[in-house]
Amino acid sequence: MKIAIGSDHAGLNVKDKIVSFLRKYGYLVIDCGTDEPKSCDYPDFAKKVSELVRDKKCEMGVLICGSGQGMAISANKIKGIRAALCWNKKSTLLSRLHNNANIFCSGARLLT
């Protein structure tokens, strides 16, 4: 499975950990940035990931920002995207099973 992932500066460390985890388990990961802790605009990365999922170049997407909310709102503006703000295993599972979410969004500043 090919997964697109992106974050803003607030989500950079979490994004990098997720990329390593996914690659360890054999997933092909397309890292859409950011690659530096310098302040940046989250909608730019939400758009990159969402377009890859929309265009079927990736099966799923992951977006991380400070709260996750901005990424989810931005991604859901793209036709065909069902981005879900997830904060635990149950919310993630239900978003996928009941809403057919194709992008997982989460907040680096809100999760341990």
Side-chain angles (χ1 to χ4, degrees), residues 66-111:
S67 69
Q69 194 70 272
M71 287 292 200
I73 290 168
S74 293
N76 281 318
K77 291 181 178 184
I78 307 291
K79 186 175 181 177
I81 296 303
R82 293 169 307 283
L85 178 59
C86 302
W87 57 92
N88 60 22
K89 185 177 179 179
K90 189 171 186 174
S91 66
T92 304
L93 182 64
L94 291 173
S95 294
R96 182 71 182 130
L97 293 176
H98 294 284
N99 306 110
N100 198 25
N102 53 12
I103 295 184
F104 165 92
C105 300
S106 199
R109 294 178 177 153
L110 302 178
L111 300 176

Side-chain angles (χ1 to χ4, degrees), residues 16-35:
D16 290 344
K17 289 177 184 178
I18 293 171
V19 167
S20 295
F21 177 85
L22 291 171
R23 287 183 175 153
K24 178 181 173 183
Y25 287 95
Y27 292 95
L28 179 58
V29 178
I30 307 301
D31 189 341
C32 296
T34 189
D35 297 321

